[in-house]
Amino acid sequence: MFCTKCGTKNPEDATFCYKCGNEMYTDKTRPMVDDTTDEIVAEEVNPLIDFWTNIVNFEGKMNRHNFWVAVFIMALINIVIVAISYGTEAMILWYLYDLFFLIATLSASVRRLHDVNKSGAYVLLNLIPLVGQVALLIMLLQENEVDKKKVVDDPINNMDDKDFYLTVAVFVGIILVILLPLLINGTL
């Protein structure tokens, strides 16, 4: 811990600076600095707030957990909006929602690619049918190097890649089971 008056490094348990005598305290509102890596420890951010407040922010990073939680929740909201407005004159609301969702997903995808040290231009892989989309999905599912080294007691963030891919596969399977009969019958 560093003294706020003279800048001298002191032991973590010090109550007073050994050089100038200034009282040492930690401010709980400011992010803590890890002395070994000189990086600011990230604060927890609500995934939906991060997703929507940075709708046009194509800079920065977004971690895997926040990205997928936000995308899944917004996809479920999209399904609910379609179910409510299907066949009514309220379909314009769904179109507007989808436009904002598309822009927010593009920016979140770019920030997610930045988090795994890839260029945001890889989001253009979406334009290549099937192969490009699968390649982009694999990139978006990757874990960044900092998260690989982090040991957390949180079961969601501590999930290994195999469990995470299984969860994604189950979610996609459920969506396909719901939508496939509708597509076959021609009602969708």
Side-chain angles (χ1 to χ4, degrees), residues 3-133:
C3 177
T4 56
K5 185 175 180 183
C6 69
T8 305
K9 184 171 181 166
N10 290 283
E12 291 297 320
D13 59 343
T15 54
F16 294 96
C17 175
Y18 74 88
K19 186 173 182 181
C20 69
N22 186 35
E23 185 176 5
M24 303 292 292
Y25 59 91
T26 57
D27 187 3
K28 301 291 184 193
T29 60
R30 293 177 49 197
M32 298 297 291
V33 176
D34 185 7
D35 290 87
T36 59
T37 61
D38 294 331
E39 293 179 9
I40 295 179
V41 176
E43 297 178 15
E44 286 297 317
V45 178
N46 185 328
L48 293 176
I49 292 173
D50 188 26
F51 187 79
W52 284 110
T53 56
N54 293 312
I55 189 169
V56 291
N57 180 13
F58 290 88
E59 300 293 324
K61 297 180 178 185
M62 186 175 196
N63 68 26
R64 181 173 72 168
H65 177 262
N66 286 358
F67 177 80
W68 286 108
V69 166
V71 167
F72 287 149
I73 290 172
M74 299 317 296
L76 290 175
I77 291 172
N78 193 10
I79 292 170
V80 169
I81 289 173
V82 168
I84 291 172
S85 64
Y86 187 73
T88 66
E89 298 200 13
M91 285 300 283
I92 190 73
L93 293 175
W94 177 60
Y95 294 135
L96 288 173
Y97 173 82
D98 268 355
L99 177 67
F100 285 114
F101 182 65
L102 173 71
I103 295 168
T105 303
L106 282 175
S107 84
S109 297
V110 168
R111 288 183 284 127
R112 178 73 195 113
L113 287 168
H114 290 168
D115 193 46
V116 293
N117 295 326
K118 303 265 189 226
S119 170
Y122 279 109
V123 80
L124 295 175
L125 286 173
N126 255 338
L127 299 175
I128 302 171
L130 196 62
V131 174
Q133 293 166 348

